[in-house]
C-alpha cells in the first residue's frame, strides 16, 4: 500500500529538549480576500501550564498577548516556549490568531558525533535570514517528495558542524553542512520546509552553511553576533 512521504528533522521541539520527530508544514492563504491584511511572522509562542499559547514574541522583538488562548496538537509540553510561524491580526494591542504552525529548531551536531550515515542529497535552496532580535538563524528550503511503495521510506534533515576557523583578530567562523537523506522518497513535487537554528548554540561570531542544491553547492554566510 502506498503512503505519503514522511520528513524527519533532527530538532528540538521546544528549543530545549533534543529529539527526532516528524515535521509537518502548514499552508497559509495569502493575497486579497478575508485575510488580505493579516500579518505573518516567525515568533516564539509562550505556553502556559494548560498547554495553551498565551503570548508571542515576534522576530522583530514585539511582545503581544493573545486575544484568546491558542491550542494545537503539536503543543504537547506545558510551561515552555515553542518556535512558530503564525498569521494574526493586531486587535487593540493584542494578537488575534488566524493560524499558527510549529517551526523546528535544529540542533547542531558535531560531525564526529553524528550517528547516521551522512548524506548531502540535493534540495532547493530558497533563503537564509537572521531574526532582528539576533536569536535565530532561519532557513527556507524546498524538498522533493511524493508517495512511496516502501512504507519505511523517510527523508531526514539535520545540521552538522564541520570545522571552526579562527582568524588572526580572534573572530571565529563555524562551518556547517546541511545533511539531507532522500531516504527512497520519490521526487515528484516540491514542498517547502522552514527551520531555525538558535544562535546561542553557535559557538562562533559567524557561520557559513554549505547546502547541496539541484543547481550545485550553495554557501550561505551570516553573522551571529
Amino acid at each position: 500500500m502506498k503512503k505519503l512521504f514522511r520528513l524527519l528533522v533532527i530538532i528540538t521541539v521546544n528549543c530545549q529538549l533534543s529529539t527526532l520527530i516528524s515535521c509537518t508544514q502548514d499552508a497559509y492563504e495569502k493575497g486579497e480576500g478575508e485575510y488580505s491584511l493579516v500579518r505573518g511572522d516567525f515568533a516564539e509562542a509562550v505556553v502556559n501550564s494548560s498547554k495553551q499559547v498565551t503570548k508571542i514574541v515576534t522576530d522583530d522583538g514585539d511582545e503581544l498577548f493573545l486575544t484568546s488562548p491558542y491550542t494545537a496538537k503539536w503543543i504537547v509540553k506545558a510551561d515552555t516556549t515553542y518556535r512558530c510561524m503564525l498569521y494574526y491580526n493586531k486587535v487593540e494591542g493584542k494578537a488575534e490568531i488566524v493560524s499558527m504552525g510549529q517551526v523546528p529548531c535544529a540542533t547542531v551536531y558535531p560531525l564526529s558525533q553524528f550517528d547516521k550515515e551522512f548524506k548531502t542529497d540535493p534540495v532547493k535552496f530558497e533563503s537564509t535570514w537572521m531574526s532582528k532580535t539576533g536569536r535565530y538563524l532561519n532557513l527556507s528550503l524546498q524538498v522533493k517528495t511524493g508517495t512511496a511503495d516502501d512504507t519505511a521510506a523517510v527523508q531526514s534533515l539535520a545540521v552538522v558542524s564541520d570545522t571552526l576557523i579562527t582568524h588572526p583578530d580572534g573572530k571565529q567562523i563555524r562551518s556547517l553542512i546541511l545533511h539531507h537523506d532522500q531516504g527512497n522518497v520519490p521526487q515528484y513535487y516540491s514542498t517547502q520546509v522552514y527551520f531555525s537554528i538558535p544562535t546561542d548554540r553557535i559557538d562562533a561570531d559567524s557561520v557559513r552553511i554549505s547546502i547541496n542544491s539541484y543547481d550545485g553547492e550553495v554557501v550561505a554566510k551570516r553573522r551571529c553576533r
Side-chain angles (χ1 to χ4, degrees):
M1 181 177 67
K2 291 188 176 182
K3 61 173 291 181
L4 291 176
F5 83 100
R6 291 184 297 148
L7 172 66
L8 298 185
V9 184
I10 299 177
I11 68 167
T12 57
V13 294
N14 59 359
C15 298
Q16 293 177 355
L17 301 177
S18 178
T19 187
L20 179 68
I21 70 168
S22 295
C23 171
T24 60
Q25 301 293 330
D26 292 342
Y28 301 94
E29 296 295 330
K30 298 180 181 179
E32 298 301 324
E34 182 181 359
Y35 299 133
S36 60
L37 299 179
V38 169
R39 180 183 177 91
D41 277 315
F42 285 78
E44 293 178 333
V46 181
V47 177
N48 65 14
S49 58
S50 299
K51 300 181 183 179
Q52 299 171 319
V53 179
T54 56
K55 183 176 69 173
I56 60 169
V57 181
T58 73
D59 276 9
D60 288 341
D62 295 329
E63 185 174 314
L64 299 170
F65 286 93
L66 305 193
T67 55
S68 60
Y70 179 87
T71 60
K73 290 181 180 180
W74 50 267
I75 302 172
V76 296
K77 185 176 175 63
D79 296 319
T80 191
T81 299
Y82 283 87
R83 183 76 171 143
C84 70
M85 179 182 181
L86 73 158
Y87 282 85
Y88 64 99
N89 294 301
K90 278 190 176 182
V91 179
E92 297 179 350
K94 294 185 177 182
E96 179 186 58
I97 303 300
V98 174
S99 57
M100 182 186 299
Q102 185 184 15
V103 173
C105 285
T107 298
V108 178
Y109 288 88
L111 186 57
S112 60
Q113 298 177 18
F114 193 60
D115 60 0
K116 294 180 172 293
E117 181 183 357
F118 180 68
K119 293 188 176 183
T120 56
D121 293 335
V123 298
K124 182 179 179 181
F125 171 77
E126 290 194 328
S127 62
T128 63
W129 70 98
M130 190 72 68
S131 65
K132 288 186 179 180
T133 59
R135 288 174 54 81
Y136 295 98
L137 173 62
N138 305 299
L139 288 88
S140 175
L141 308 170
Q142 288 194 22
V143 296
K144 294 285 188 179
T145 64
T147 56
D149 294 314
D150 182 2
T151 58
V154 57
Q155 291 190 68
S156 64
L157 290 169
V159 178
V160 177
S161 173
D162 183 15
T163 57
L164 180 65
I165 302 171
T166 302
H167 291 285
D169 62 0
K171 297 291 185 180
Q172 294 182 316
I173 301 174
R174 172 61 69 181
S175 179
L176 305 177
I177 307 173
L178 180 72
H179 158 84
H180 176 227
D181 182 359
Q182 188 68 31
N184 296 320
V185 174
Q187 302 180 54
Y188 296 150
Y189 57 90
S190 296
T191 188
Q192 190 168 48
V193 174
Y194 295 109
F195 65 91
S196 299
I197 304 174
T199 54
D200 62 4
R201 294 181 182 164
I202 300 174
D203 58 345
D205 302 284
S206 60
V207 294
R208 62 185 305 276
I209 305 174
S210 175
I211 299 168
N212 184 29
S213 80
Y214 288 97
D215 297 320
E217 183 186 23
V218 175
V219 178
K221 299 178 182 179
R222 290 290 182 272
R223 291 187 60 83
C224 298
R225 52 178 177 263

